[in-house]
Amino acid sequence: MSAAHSDAMKPRRFLPGGPLRGRIRVPGDKSISHRAIMFASLAIGESRISGLLEGEDVMATAAALRAMGANIERTGANESGGEWCVHGVGVGGLLQPRQALDMGNSGTSTRLLMGLVASHAITASFIGDASLSKRPMGRVIDPLAQMGADITASPGGTLPLMIRGISPAVPIEYRLPVASAQVKSAVLLAGLNTPGITTVIEPIPTRDHSERMLKGFGADLTVEVEADGTRIIRLRGEAELTPQVIEVPGDPSSAAFFVVAALLVPGSDLVIRNVGLNPTRAALFEVLRAMGGHIEEVDRREVGGEPVADLHVRHSPLSGVEVDPALSPSMIDEFPVLFVAAALASGRTVTSGLEELRVKESDRLAVMAAALTAAGARVEEREDGLVIDGTGGEPLPGTHGAPIATHLDHRIAMSMAVAGLASRNGVEVDDTRPIATSFPVFEELLDGLTK
Ligand code: S3P
């Protein structure tokens, strides 16, 4: 359990409610917020970040970088989130942390910062909560060890672990064995302080925020796309990063809960402003449209080098679909809430190719199958996906008896909150505290819309 959490679990019954009407904003993108703090910490001089997500995961990244010498301060806030000022140490300038780095619940902080430490002559221990301590780190240990870092992990390649970095590290050409933006980014971050060219070959494209932002900070990075879609990313090391002014767009993964809630609850008509629509992130909205969802993009524009729009969502009857597994990396965090939409659609929704969901903050296939079944949905769990027969728009019965076990997984808690809204008797979850890792104002926003 992260130090930021209080000791007692916080159960809550999410009652039926709505319609959801009006205009809201969701907080800054989590992936982009982590990267903004990290890259700014490696630039010499002052970067300014607005719209930063002030969730526990991003704060874990900020605390770790402070412990390694960066100066990171909150200077204020505007309607889209925190305004922060970062004075970086320069590529190669990270200092030896004096204590173990506490990553809380955050896989992104852990894997990306391991990459950073790997090519510095410092030693760092990484610790985390019970959920993070079960997650596989072998996928970053392998390439970072090839670059010369010495890593001692707990059995099964998990946290706690200790990493002894090396400078100069050895540049590698690494073909990703799993479609993972975290592994890609860990290798690129290690490559920043490594002489020569570090290459990552990505057969299946994953979120490309690191590539976009590294270029924005002035790194020499190229992306070549082959005929079959394979991406070859090359980064010249010993880079000099120039401080930037960054505006973080709203997080599509957070918007997803309100998009699905508005689609499901009759009478809803909601605008979610400033939602990031990077194509490597936005496939959920395509799938929901294919199911019959009315989701309109208004005022498409660019914010912080990323495409954004306001999303206008209206209640829509949904039909089940077969989700193309090729879309999975571009909606990997949105499956829990898609399963909720499927549980209220008419007909069958089939998902496959989702083995990665078993190693997220929880085993999201097993946990969502159990949670939706407890709420009265018809769900079959397969090795690599769920098959869901929807109610055809009828509310789910809701939970009786034991609350839904969320297993320290924010997205399970928020997905089942949405299921509660679209239920007859409400859905009780065992613990809402993990929501603060990615979306601290979720309940406030939800309550404001549904009261
Ligand atoms: C993330 C990448 C994804 C995603 C996670 C954030 C990132 O993980 O699930 O929430 O910021 O790079 P994987 O790289 O494990 O797919």
Side-chain angles (χ1 to χ4, degrees):
M1 177 66 58
S2 148
H5 285 150
S6 58
D7 287 339
M9 289 171 94
K10 257 200 193 159
R12 173 166 173 190
R13 177 169 282 277
F14 289 95
L15 296 171
L20 292 81
R21 301 180 75 88
R23 292 163 72 78
I24 60 167
R25 264 180 185 267
V26 292
D29 188 277
K30 181 151 77 75
S31 293
I32 296 175
S33 294
H34 281 296
R35 287 158 172 82
I37 295 259
M38 288 183 198
F39 301 157
S41 293
L42 296 175
I44 295 186
E46 178 180 295
S47 292
R48 292 192 164 266
I49 309 169
S50 62
L52 189 85
L53 168 66
E54 296 176 328
E56 289 170 7
D57 282 10
V58 175
M59 295 301 113
T61 288
L65 285 161
R66 278 194 197 107
M68 293 190 279
N71 189 313
I72 304 170
E73 268 176 45
R74 184 178 203 265
T75 52
N78 65 20
E79 56 168 2
S80 57
E83 292 180 328
W84 290 67
C85 176
V86 178
H87 287 264
V89 293
V91 168
L94 292 181
L95 305 176
Q96 171 71 47
R98 273 188 288 197
Q99 283 170 352
L101 304 176
D102 186 351
M103 302 285 98
N105 189 255
S106 178
T108 309
S109 310
T110 310
R111 295 188 177 125
L112 272 57
L113 290 172
M114 282 174 67
L116 264 188
V117 169
S119 58
H120 282 74
I122 59 178
T123 298
S125 299
F126 287 79
I127 58 172
D129 74 2
S131 152
L132 184 59
S133 302
K134 286 189 207 147
R135 298 182 65 187
M137 297 300 152
R139 54 182 63 194
V140 278
I141 294 174
D142 288 347
L144 298 179
Q146 285 178 30
M147 296 179 82
D150 179 10
I151 301 163
T152 313
S154 298
T158 57
L159 262 50
L161 63 73
M162 196 175 78
I163 171 163
R164 193 185 306 275
I166 187 166
S167 180
V170 184
I172 58 170
E173 178 178 299
Y174 192 68
R175 192 181 175 87
L176 292 179
V178 274
S180 166
Q182 292 178 353
V183 178
K184 167 175 67 178
S185 302
V187 175
L188 292 175
L189 280 165
L192 277 177
N193 193 39
T194 300
I197 309 276
T198 294
T199 306
V200 180
I201 302 172
E202 189 178 51
I204 300 166
T206 64
R207 64 190 69 192
D208 63 355
H209 307 302
S210 295
E211 296 92 303
R212 286 175 189 244
M213 206 184 282
L214 278 170
K215 278 193 210 162
F217 271 88
D220 180 357
L221 179 143
T222 59
V223 181
E224 188 188 325
V225 184
E226 297 198 313
D228 67 354
T230 299
R231 297 170 81 246
I232 304 172
I233 304 148
R234 296 186 181 88
L235 172 72
R236 181 177 298 281
E238 297 177 310
E240 228 175 83
L241 302 186
T242 324
Q244 298 296 308
V245 175
I246 301 168
E247 198 180 335
V248 180
D251 196 326
S253 302
S254 296
F257 300 107
F258 286 95
V259 169
V260 170
L263 290 175
L264 294 183
V265 177
S268 297
D269 188 333
L270 185 67
V271 174
I272 309 169
R273 293 166 63 199
N274 193 41
V275 180
L277 291 176
N278 180 313
T280 62
R281 295 288 299 285
L284 172 76
F285 306 128
E286 269 175 52
V287 170
L288 290 171
R289 282 192 195 107
M291 295 173 80
H294 180 103
I295 306 168
E296 198 187 332
E297 286 169 22
V298 183
D299 189 15
R300 224 180 204 277
R301 55 205 186 266
E302 203 164 278
V303 169
E306 298 272 346
V308 308
D310 300 338
L311 295 183
H312 182 186
V313 189
R314 277 190 265 148
H315 166 67
S316 316
L318 301 179
S319 312
V321 279
E322 192 154 330
V323 181
D324 178 357
L327 293 175
S328 310
S330 315
M331 55 181 290
I332 194 68
D333 293 335
E334 284 66 73
F335 281 96
V337 79
L338 174 72
F339 296 147
V340 175
L344 279 106
S346 56
R348 174 168 283 198
T349 294
V350 181
T351 58
S352 60
L354 299 179
E355 297 84 352
E356 273 295 301
L357 288 195
R358 296 202 182 272
V359 293
K360 294 295 179 189
E361 286 82 330
S362 69
D363 175 344
R364 287 181 173 162
L365 292 180
V367 172
M368 280 307 294
L372 282 172
T373 303
R378 284 177 297 161
V379 183
E380 181 201 333
E381 181 184 346
R382 295 183 178 165
E383 205 43 56
D384 67 338
L386 300 187
V387 176
I388 300 177
D389 287 302
T391 59
E394 281 301 303
L396 292 170
T399 58
H400 305 276
I404 298 296
T406 50
H407 298 274
L408 293 178
D409 188 334
H410 53 137
R411 299 202 198 281
I412 304 293
M414 290 186 277
S415 298
M416 293 313 292
V418 173
L421 271 190
S423 73
R424 255 193 300 278
N425 300 311
V427 166
E428 188 181 3
V429 304
D430 65 350
D431 197 4
T432 55
R433 290 171 306 165
I435 292 173
T437 60
S438 69
F439 199 166
V441 295
F442 172 78
E443 289 179 86
E444 199 182 301
L445 269 178
L446 188 74
D447 295 341
L449 282 171
T450 54
K451 243 185 269 168

